[in-house]
Amino acid sequence: MGTEESTGFEPATGDGPPLSEPPAARSASVRTAFEGLLQIRRLTGTGQPDPESAPAPWERNRPVTAVALALERSGATPSAVDPSGRRVSAGYRVSDGESAGSVRVEWTGPPGSGAAHDEEEALAGCASALRDVGWTVLLYRGPRRRRYLEVEPPSGLSGGHARS
């Protein structure tokens, strides 16, 4: 019995261990999960002209999971950490954003990985992939001038979280 069968599918957020599943199997799992997400959009977005074009309530209640799934589906590479929490590979990292219901996407990696050099182009790809599936994406500069994305549902869609 595989790990996915015993624990369920979880998209890579960039804060977990390196992906150990064979690439073809992982790709199939991601594809199945994303098709399920689109089905949720179709079933819950009946009042919208194109229900697949905007995050569903399920996604707005689990934005980190939904954004991580969209990024993994796009082919973006997730970062990873070892058991001690030390970053071992460069890629995207998805975490809670500064405001309720928002998500922060960074391009990070271990020292010497070149993540800081690659972040502008990599985050542009992440932003494009997220916009393509209906998320609103803004690019910011944080400490040490490192770029990051702030991702949230389009305005007019209420999520499961109160916004302050």
Side-chain angles (χ1 to χ4, degrees):
M1 179 182 251
T3 303
E4 180 183 325
E5 293 165 349
S6 61
T7 62
F9 175 80
E10 285 293 325
T13 63
D15 278 336
L19 298 175
S20 59
E21 196 173 358
R26 182 69 185 184
S27 178
S29 295
V30 169
R31 186 173 44 257
T32 299
F34 194 77
E35 288 169 3
L37 184 141
L38 291 178
Q39 182 65 11
I40 290 169
R41 286 183 176 193
R42 285 189 290 271
L43 292 171
T44 61
T46 55
Q48 298 178 22
D50 181 7
E52 290 185 15
S53 67
W58 181 91
E59 295 169 87
R60 296 190 305 265
N61 286 323
R62 297 161 191 82
V64 169
T65 301
V67 167
L69 177 58
L71 290 174
E72 194 169 354
R73 186 247 185 190
S74 78
T77 303
S79 183
V81 295
D82 68 13
S84 71
R86 188 180 52 140
R87 198 136 313 266
V88 294
S89 65
Y92 67 80
R93 177 180 182 261
V94 181
S95 59
D96 288 322
E98 293 180 18
S99 60
S102 72
V103 173
R104 181 180 176 123
V105 178
E106 304 168 278
W107 196 262
T108 188
S113 67
H117 180 267
D118 298 336
E119 77 181 3
E120 183 174 10
E121 183 178 342
L123 286 175
C126 291
S128 178
L130 293 168
R131 286 184 185 114
D132 286 348
V133 293
W135 292 93
T136 298
V137 182
L138 300 170
L139 175 67
Y140 290 99
R141 280 193 190 263
R144 298 183 315 256
R145 301 194 46 81
R146 294 293 306 263
R147 294 170 182 87
Y148 67 94
L149 304 175
E150 194 73 22
V151 183
E152 55 190 29
S155 60
L157 291 180
S158 60
H161 302 284
R163 296 195 55 108
S164 43

